[in-house]
Amino acid sequence: GLWRVPWNISLIIADIKRLLLELEDYTISHIFREANMVADYVAKQGHNYPTLTRWFESPTPELSVLIRKDELG
């Protein structure tokens, strides 16, 4: 069947394309969530907030652990 993204990301994509035009050199690549646990954690947390929210001044203990794991590889 037909599957649609449940949110409108076209404006976000347009902003990204506009910002990329300001850079001389860049690379876009896919990283599996297992290889970037910090981004996966932050993305999941973002779903809990209906509007743009700054939800921490410093990383939560759980996020700090994930940051450290990413640093260690």
Side-chain angles (χ1 to χ4, degrees):
L2 183 62
W3 186 84
R4 291 181 160 219
V5 176
W7 61 90
N8 184 348
I9 62 171
S10 62
L11 294 177
I12 295 170
I13 299 297
D15 284 346
I16 291 168
K17 288 180 177 180
R18 181 184 51 77
L19 291 169
L20 288 174
L21 291 174
E22 297 176 14
L23 301 175
E24 289 183 28
D25 186 35
Y26 62 88
T27 301
I28 297 174
S29 61
H30 176 266
I31 305 295
F32 288 100
R33 73 179 76 172
E34 295 84 4
N36 193 346
M37 293 182 288
V38 173
D40 186 51
Y41 175 86
V42 172
K44 287 178 183 175
Q45 293 300 310
H47 283 286
N48 295 326
Y49 301 93
T51 60
L52 182 61
T53 303
R54 183 175 176 185
W55 48 274
F56 59 79
E57 291 292 326
S58 60
T60 61
E62 183 178 5
L63 183 56
S64 293
V65 169
L66 295 175
I67 291 170
R68 184 70 178 141
K69 284 181 180 180
D70 269 3
E71 287 175 340
L72 297 174

